[in-house]
Amino acid sequence: MTVPIPEAAIATIIAAGRRLDDAGWVPATAGNISVSLPDGRIAITRSGRHKGALVAGDVMAVDGDGRPEVQGDRPSYETLLHCGIYRRFRDAGAVVHGHSIANTVLSRAAGGSLTLAGYELLKAFPGGPTHDVSVAVPVLDNDQDIPRLQRALDARWAGADTIPPGYLIRGHGAYLWGPDMDAALARMEALEFMLACELEERRLR
Ligand SMILES: [Zn+2]
């Protein structure tokens, strides 16, 4: 007997998928979305579904280690990255991942991190009460070996003084999280706005 996923969690994920799709950040079957459930399970999008047209059946449950609750169910290929965030950041309640043009182009051109400085919207990131800060967003090399990619992230987080609630994977996309879906989406919108500005600025140079 499996415990049903709360309807509110499913509705939250479906609405988030539409919002990411409206913004153009989840082309084809890109992106994935999850929320942590009070019982420790994670509700996450199934592999291969379009995030702008999710239905209730496209959301499934995994345990904290990414194992599907129902054997044979196939969660998002990058499920272990969601688990890695929930494991490391106990206050994380929702995780969103998208592939935008700005995050793809800029992460390809970046080194080990991408610094955003002087933007009003840095306020959307915790620990940045004013615009007068800079945030170094980690950029990880893309890797189809997801456990190895998570180990690289864990190593990066272990050595960091402050950890922004997001990171970029080179040529691939962005991960953002927050205490709930609204916060995770707000942070993603803030990050994507700043990345779009960076891209425009580089065109002007
Ligand atoms: Zn991806």
Side-chain angles (χ1 to χ4, degrees), residues 17-18 20 35 43 46-47 76 81 118 139 142 151 153 155 161-162 170-171 175 179-180 183 189 192 198-200:
R18 279 203 208 101
L20 295 180
V35 296
R46 287 182 196 274
S47 178
S76 160
L81 298 180
V139 181
N142 198 17
R151 284 197 295 279
L153 270 162
D161 293 335
T162 54
R170 200 180 311 286
Y175 270 87
D180 55 32
E189 287 185 353
E192 291 295 346
E198 289 284 315
L199 204 52
E200 287 297 323

Side-chain angles (χ1 to χ4, degrees), residues 182-203:
D182 282 346
L185 287 169
R187 289 169 182 179
M188 179 161 243
E189 287 185 353
L191 177 70
E192 291 295 346
F193 177 85
M194 292 184 278
L195 293 179
C197 289
E198 289 284 315
L199 204 52
E200 287 297 323
E201 276 188 13
R202 289 177 196 206
R203 283 201 193 106

Side-chain angles (χ1 to χ4, degrees), residues 30-32 78 97-99 172-173 175:
N32 39 66
E78 296 167 33
H97 166 58
H99 302 181
H172 174 166
Y175 270 87

Side-chain angles (χ1 to χ4, degrees), residues 131-154:
H131 68 275
D132 192 22
V133 290
S134 71
V135 170
V137 181
V139 181
L140 280 295
D141 287 333
N142 198 17
D143 194 339
Q144 298 306 315
D145 183 334
I146 301 299
R148 187 168 59 196
L149 179 52
Q150 183 57 50
R151 284 197 295 279
L153 270 162
D154 287 333

Side-chain angles (χ1 to χ4, degrees), residues 32 34 44 76-89 92 94-100 102-104 106-108 110-116 125-126 135-143 145-157 160 162-178 184 187-188 191-192 195:
N32 39 66
S34 72
I44 189 163
S76 160
Y77 185 69
E78 296 167 33
T79 294
L80 290 179
L81 298 180
H82 290 247
C83 297
I85 290 166
Y86 293 121
R87 194 181 309 124
R88 175 67 176 75
F89 306 101
V95 177
V96 288
H97 166 58
H99 302 181
S100 73
N103 74 38
T104 301
L106 290 170
S107 64
R108 280 162 61 92
S113 65
L114 200 151
T115 299
L116 298 168
F125 283 64
V135 170
V137 181
V139 181
L140 280 295
D141 287 333
N142 198 17
D143 194 339
D145 183 334
I146 301 299
R148 187 168 59 196
L149 179 52
Q150 183 57 50
R151 284 197 295 279
L153 270 162
D154 287 333
R156 186 76 81 88
W157 288 333
T162 54
I163 303 174
Y167 60 83
L168 300 175
I169 306 174
R170 200 180 311 286
H172 174 166
Y175 270 87
L176 277 300
W177 58 90
R187 289 169 182 179
M188 179 161 243
L191 177 70
E192 291 295 346
L195 293 179

